[in-house]
Amino acid sequence: MTTNTATTEKTGARTDEAAALIGGARERIDSLDDRIIGLIQERMAVSAVIQEARISSGGRRVNLNREMEVLGHYRDALGKPGTALAMTMLELCRGRI
């Protein structure tokens, strides 16, 4: 059984079964993306608390040793692309106080 043109254009699937599978998987991805965004926002808030405490005690806004630990953790877990992901996340979390 083949799909209609609108379904094919939307999912790239060639059958109704594949289109349904893709639609369900995309809904799951969208849900995961929402959770990931929420976790990053939570991390940004926690990072701001840490930065504020560090600065108010006379320290620097950024702890480069800690950032290297985070980069290594992401690289070890996700490979080279994990480093880029961690860099983006760290950039989002810097200087938000």
Side-chain angles (χ1 to χ4, degrees), residues 3 9 15 26 37-38 52 65 84:
T3 61
E9 289 175 9
T15 66
R26 285 183 178 170
I37 290 166
E52 187 175 327
N65 288 333

Side-chain angles (χ1 to χ4, degrees), residues 60-79:
R60 300 179 64 173
R61 178 175 59 90
V62 175
N63 181 332
L64 295 178
N65 288 333
R66 174 62 179 151
E67 288 198 357
M68 293 305 293
E69 288 176 13
V70 171
L71 291 170
H73 181 68
Y74 275 70
R75 182 191 60 245
D76 292 346
L78 302 171

Side-chain angles (χ1 to χ4, degrees), residues 1 45 47 68 74 96:
M1 178 180 352
S47 182
M68 293 305 293
Y74 275 70
R96 298 286 183 160

Side-chain angles (χ1 to χ4, degrees), residues 5-65:
T5 304
T7 303
T8 300
E9 289 175 9
K10 186 173 181 178
T11 66
R14 295 180 183 249
T15 66
D16 289 334
E17 293 80 14
L21 183 110
I22 290 168
R26 285 183 178 170
E27 287 177 14
R28 179 82 172 119
I29 286 174
D30 290 344
S31 175
L32 289 167
D33 285 343
D34 289 342
R35 289 172 48 201
I36 292 166
I37 290 166
L39 288 170
I40 291 171
Q41 290 169 331
E42 183 177 347
R43 190 189 195 287
M44 290 168 65
V46 172
S47 182
V49 169
I50 292 168
Q51 289 175 41
E52 187 175 327
R54 190 182 302 120
I55 291 168
S56 68
S57 71
R60 300 179 64 173
R61 178 175 59 90
V62 175
N63 181 332
L64 295 178
N65 288 333

